[in-house]
Amino acid sequence: MPCSSTAGTLNREGHALLIDCRSLEATPVPLADPGLIILITNSNVKHSLSGSEYPLRRRRCEEAASAMGKSSLRDATMKDLEEAGDRMDEVTVRRARHVIEEIERTVQAAEALRRGEYKEFGRLMVESHNSLRDLYEVSCRELDELVSVALEVEGVYGSRMTGGGFGGCTVTLLQACTIDRTILHIQVHTHFASYCALKRSYSSEKHQETTSNCSQISITTCTAAIPFQCLLNSNTEKCCQ
């Protein structure tokens, strides 16, 4: 079952979801701090995971695991990769390094979130995006721009692309008090000509929703439950099982 389907079935409001993509064990991680906002920004760059690039990355990961004598990169360490590096080409080493380090980042991020260490969690988000951009090479100019611009705003903890890459959305964790300033900053400093903003406010008494016209870039803010995979772990579970 894909992570997205697992998250949709097992998630709880006020929690992220840490998914073990091998066992499909799902562990809720508290994410109900009223001082936090999760901002989803859609680049509107279309992508397709059925194209040649995504299967190629999966194949590289399988080749790397085989070169290290592992059934999966899930069982590999950076020491294993260093020792077997001369049996792989440079690109395969980069792909494997991303997956191995991303698995460790996900574990660290879950612990940071449990402890309420949002700055540390945000740092790991940025590391994840940089690795997806430089090692796994599944980002694109628009996603990089959205992440970079969001990180310029004081009160933003972290930002990264989410999903399989080559387009789609970014996810940003920030202080609730800075949401309006962050959205305005993205609108002003990206090359997109127009935007769509959907802002949801949750309280015990009412639910308010406001929208604006949508064209080029869409921005969504939410405080509802989301999959932990969306926040940090990249959509490479097929390589990590």
Side-chain angles (χ1 to χ4, degrees):
M1 181 185 294
C3 281
S4 56
S5 301
T6 305
T9 302
L10 300 177
N11 224 343
R12 302 179 188 174
E13 184 174 356
H15 291 75
L17 196 64
L18 178 62
I19 302 171
D20 185 322
C21 295
R22 172 180 279 171
S23 67
L24 294 185
E25 179 183 2
T27 305
V29 181
L31 186 60
D33 189 325
L36 293 178
I37 286 284
I38 298 158
L39 177 66
I40 309 298
T41 310
N42 188 355
S43 70
N44 281 319
V45 176
K46 303 301 181 183
H47 60 170
S48 173
L49 298 186
S50 61
S52 61
E53 291 296 328
Y54 186 75
L56 180 59
R57 278 156 180 76
R58 177 177 177 178
R59 186 162 63 250
R60 294 272 193 183
C61 291
E62 292 169 346
E63 291 171 355
S66 178
M68 288 182 280
K70 308 292 183 181
S71 61
S72 164
L73 290 181
R74 177 71 175 270
D75 303 313
T77 65
M78 284 303 300
K79 182 179 179 181
D80 294 327
L81 183 60
E82 291 168 2
E83 292 176 349
D86 58 356
R87 298 195 292 273
M88 311 175 210
D89 60 60
E90 182 180 346
V91 174
T92 301
V93 170
R94 290 204 305 271
R95 304 296 188 253
R97 177 184 167 191
H98 163 73
V99 174
I100 293 169
E101 292 181 340
E102 187 82 336
I103 291 169
E104 179 60 25
R105 266 192 296 270
T106 303
V107 174
Q108 293 174 0
E111 288 303 315
L113 204 59
R114 289 189 184 101
R115 296 191 299 266
E117 295 180 357
Y118 303 127
K119 288 184 178 180
E120 172 65 9
F121 186 89
R123 182 187 67 79
L124 292 165
M125 290 179 71
V126 176
E127 279 191 5
S128 177
H129 180 81
N130 292 344
S131 181
L132 286 160
R133 181 194 64 205
D134 300 333
L135 299 180
Y136 216 58
E137 296 181 280
V138 292
S139 189
C140 64
R141 178 176 56 83
E142 291 84 356
L143 291 173
D144 294 342
E145 183 177 354
L146 290 173
V147 168
S148 177
V149 169
L151 291 173
E152 293 173 353
V153 182
E154 184 177 356
V156 169
Y157 291 114
S159 186
R160 70 182 293 276
M161 58 160 281
T162 187
F166 308 108
C169 297
T170 63
V171 58
T172 302
L173 186 69
L174 64 154
Q175 296 174 7
C177 61
T178 196
I179 181 61
D180 292 332
R181 184 165 69 252
T182 302
I183 290 177
L184 178 61
H185 189 75
I186 291 173
Q187 293 166 5
V188 170
H189 290 88
T190 62
H191 68 276
F192 299 101
S194 55
Y195 63 92
C196 170
L198 171 62
K199 185 174 182 181
R200 295 176 179 152
S201 301
Y202 291 88
S203 71
S204 58
E205 298 179 353
K206 62 182 179 179
H207 173 207
Q208 298 177 334
E209 180 176 291
T210 60
T211 63
S212 66
N213 292 330
C214 179
S215 177
Q216 196 68 0
I217 180 172
S218 60
I219 300 173
T220 302
T221 66
C222 63
T223 55
I226 63 168
F228 189 80
Q229 177 267 344
C230 183
L231 275 177
L232 190 89
N233 191 19
S234 64
N235 191 14
T236 55
E237 64 268 21
K238 293 294 185 180
C239 305
C240 309
Q241 292 174 347

